[in-house]
């Protein structure tokens, strides 16, 4: 018999103690299996705890709602697929899926056995051993099973947009499907941005996993009057970062262990240089060692303008005015997050980039808008109480529409509401 589901308040109250017990093993596992610096892993854990504390004082996004039911009206579960850059943040979508009362089958990324064991121990301590179980089948098999198994009520996938489209069949079969995809996040620096803007952007970039985060700034679009100053500031801030053994708590940037991520970063860099960009500082070695890299002279001809830059590289472009900054920000087919830095006019520029405050139904992926837009501060990450998500290739929701194709939605959402009724 399934044990009673602990209430949301009980789970949030228990989280600090549970993490304290499991943090030594989970921290060490993330450092070992992902190469993420111990300092960034600690920040990720502290960020989760801070978010949980805020969530505990606010309203439950799924209050008064019930868990989803399977298509057979009986037993049901959600399939939750986590991405390569797994960390403490990944507990957020899993808890948002399970807290309305759902059962979750959890697919961990490859090469994360220690992380999976430690994270599963955390979840079992929080919600019980029968609420979250591991499903280790390959992605294509999972997509087929989600479409065919009437007990699958929902899918939550963090990863590539290509993987997300693989679950279209499940959506057509009546499954609620949420896809959280990649980012190609711009930071717009206006003429009156604060003098320390370069240092603050560098801190944002390297806050988690040596820059391997979907909400880290990748394209820095700078008013021409501040361009040389900001490029120099980014290079100076990058030079101060400590590179080395990720287990060393003093280290800011560790190695890139994923060969595919490293290859794409190097290809993007080669492409930018071939199109006239200048590497101001930094280096990406074939063995995965990386020095924080600043590339000046970004143009729309370069791959980095439209592709996710998933690692320790930022690209910088000069812009003549706010209109050009907004145009270049919107040049990517991804629309997860953006930030605007300045005083006069910053809010107006942000409003030109910002999409709807919550999910909106659209006919097709929307480009030129971002789900998460901040002004003079880091943006929202995955949260237990704040909606998260974007536009374009950065994510969407398919909702069943009996007798019709599934409806398509984009924008920020709270998984607890999407996966409840």
């Amino acid at each position: 018999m399934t044990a009673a589901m602990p209430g949301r308040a009980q789970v949030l109250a228990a989280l600090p103690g549970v993490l304290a017990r499991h943090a030594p093993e989970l921290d060490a596992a993330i450092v070992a299996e992902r190469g993420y610096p111990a300092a960034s892993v600690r920040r990720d854990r502290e960020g989760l705890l801070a978010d949980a504390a805020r969530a505990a004082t606010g309203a439950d996004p799924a209050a008064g709602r019930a868990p989803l039911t399977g298509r057979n009206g009986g037993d049901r579960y959600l399939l939750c697929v986590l991405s390569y850059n797994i960390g403490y943040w990944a507990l957020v979508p899993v808890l948002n899926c399970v807290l309305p009362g759902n059962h979750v089958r959890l697919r961990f990324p490859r090469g994360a056995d220690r992380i999976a064991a430690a994270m599963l121990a955390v979840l079992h301590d929080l919600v019980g051993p029968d609420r979250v179980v591991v499903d280790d089948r390959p992605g294509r098999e999972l997509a087929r099973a989600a479409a065919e198994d009437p007990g699958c009520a929902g899918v939550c996938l963090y990863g590539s947009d290509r993987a997300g489209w693989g679950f279209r069949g499940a959506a057509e079969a009546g499954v609620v499907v949420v896809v959280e995809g990649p980012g190609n996040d711009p930071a717009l620096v206006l003429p009156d941005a604060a003098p320390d803007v370069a240092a603050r952007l560098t801190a944002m970039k390297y806050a988690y996993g040596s820059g391997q985060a979907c909400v880290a700034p990748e394209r820095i679009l700078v008013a021409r009057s501040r361009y040389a100053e900001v490029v120099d500031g980014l290079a100076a801030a990058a030079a101060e970062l400590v590179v080395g053994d990720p287990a060393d708590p003093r280290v800011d940037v560790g190695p890139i262990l994923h060969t595919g991520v490293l290859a794409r970063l190097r290809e993007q860099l080669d492409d930018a240089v071939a199109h006239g960009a200048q590497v101001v500082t930094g280096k990406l070695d074939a063995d995965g060692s990386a020095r924080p890299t600043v590339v000046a002279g970004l143009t729309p001809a370069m791959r980095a303008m439209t592709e996710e830059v998933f690692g320790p590289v930022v690209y910088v472009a000069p812009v003549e005015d706010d209109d050009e900054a907004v145009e270049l920000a919107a040049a990517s087919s991804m629309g997860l997050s953006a930030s605007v830095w300045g005083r006069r006019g910053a809010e107006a520029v942000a409003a030109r980039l910002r999409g709807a405050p919550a999910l909106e139904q659209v006919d097709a992926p929307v480009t030129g808008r971002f789900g998460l837009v901040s002004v003079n501060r880091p943006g929202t990450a995955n949260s237990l109480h704040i909606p998260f998500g974007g536009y374009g290739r950065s994510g969407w929701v398919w909702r069943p529409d009996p007798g019709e194709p599934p409806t398509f939605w984009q924008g920020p959402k709270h998984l607890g509401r999407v996966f409840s009724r």
Side-chain angles (χ1 to χ4, degrees):
M1 178 180 293
T2 300
M5 173 70 194
R8 175 183 173 86
Q10 181 181 347
V11 171
L12 295 178
L15 185 61
V18 171
L19 289 189
R21 288 196 298 274
H22 295 285
E25 174 53 29
L26 185 49
D27 283 22
I30 296 169
V31 170
E33 293 183 327
R34 288 298 178 263
Y36 298 163
S40 83
V41 175
R42 186 198 70 247
R43 282 193 297 270
D44 187 29
R45 171 163 39 84
E46 292 171 349
L48 170 60
L49 289 171
D51 180 70
R54 289 188 292 268
T57 64
D60 179 357
R65 298 168 68 88
L68 295 184
T69 59
R71 285 164 283 164
N72 59 3
D75 292 341
R76 80 288 181 207
Y77 66 88
L78 305 181
L79 174 63
C80 186
V81 182
L82 298 178
S83 57
Y84 169 80
N85 65 328
I86 189 170
Y88 281 92
W89 67 265
L91 289 166
V92 171
V94 180
L95 289 174
N96 283 336
C97 286
V98 76
L99 284 176
N102 297 303
H103 289 76
V104 171
R105 295 186 183 179
L106 187 54
R107 167 63 151 74
F108 286 97
R110 299 302 182 194
D113 292 347
R114 286 179 59 188
I115 297 172
M119 193 166 287
L120 200 61
V122 169
L123 291 165
H124 287 173
D125 279 3
L126 288 171
V127 299
D130 54 351
R131 286 284 169 177
V132 181
V133 299
V134 173
D135 192 330
D136 203 32
R137 289 175 291 180
R140 290 183 180 178
E141 189 174 338
L142 285 175
R144 183 172 61 252
E148 297 175 354
D149 184 354
C152 182
V155 173
C156 176
L157 180 141
Y158 276 67
S160 71
D161 53 304
R162 179 183 298 180
W165 283 101
F167 283 86
R168 169 75 193 218
E172 292 173 343
V175 177
V176 179
V177 177
V178 174
V179 176
E180 293 292 357
N184 182 221
D185 306 328
L188 285 64
V189 179
L190 307 187
D192 59 354
D196 66 347
V197 64
R200 296 179 68 182
L201 288 170
T202 301
M204 281 178 61
K205 177 67 175 179
Y206 295 98
Y208 178 74
S210 302
Q212 294 172 81
C214 60
V215 293
E218 303 172 16
R219 300 176 291 145
I220 316 297
L221 311 175
V222 187
R224 187 172 292 279
S225 63
R226 299 287 301 279
Y227 179 68
E229 169 203 339
V230 170
V231 169
D232 290 345
L234 290 168
E240 292 180 359
L241 297 172
V242 179
V243 178
D245 180 357
D248 185 335
R250 299 167 298 179
V251 164
D252 300 302
V253 181
I256 307 299
L257 299 186
H258 192 296
T259 56
V261 168
L262 178 63
R264 185 171 62 185
L265 288 170
R266 286 167 58 88
E267 290 167 2
Q268 290 168 340
L269 189 58
D270 290 345
D271 170 78
V273 171
H275 282 90
Q278 304 85 43
V279 178
V280 181
T281 189
K283 186 179 182 182
L284 300 174
D285 290 328
D287 64 357
S289 60
R291 297 201 64 82
T293 302
V294 176
V295 184
L298 175 66
T299 71
M302 300 173 189
R303 289 175 53 178
M305 184 64 83
T306 57
E307 295 182 359
E308 184 172 46
V309 182
F310 200 65
V313 187
V314 293
Y315 291 82
V316 197
V319 296
E320 298 301 331
D321 52 30
D322 295 351
D323 289 341
E324 186 181 10
V326 171
E327 180 182 355
L328 290 182
S332 175
S333 58
M334 303 173 204
L336 181 54
S337 73
S339 60
V340 181
W341 302 81
R343 294 190 293 274
R344 295 185 303 275
E347 290 289 352
V349 171
R352 297 172 64 181
L353 299 172
R354 189 177 288 121
L359 278 177
E360 58 177 327
Q361 186 174 350
V362 295
D363 294 330
V366 174
T367 59
R369 283 191 283 173
F370 297 82
L372 312 168
V373 181
S374 62
V375 176
N376 294 323
R377 62 174 179 83
T380 301
N382 282 272
S383 172
L384 292 161
H385 64 111
I386 299 173
F388 179 87
Y391 289 86
R393 292 172 52 204
S394 291
W396 60 87
V397 177
W398 277 306
R399 283 175 164 161
D401 188 5
E404 301 290 339
T407 55
F408 190 82
W409 302 69
Q410 293 202 292
K413 89 287 293 178
H414 192 285
L415 295 179
R417 289 195 64 82
V418 175
F419 291 125
S420 61
R421 56 186 170 86

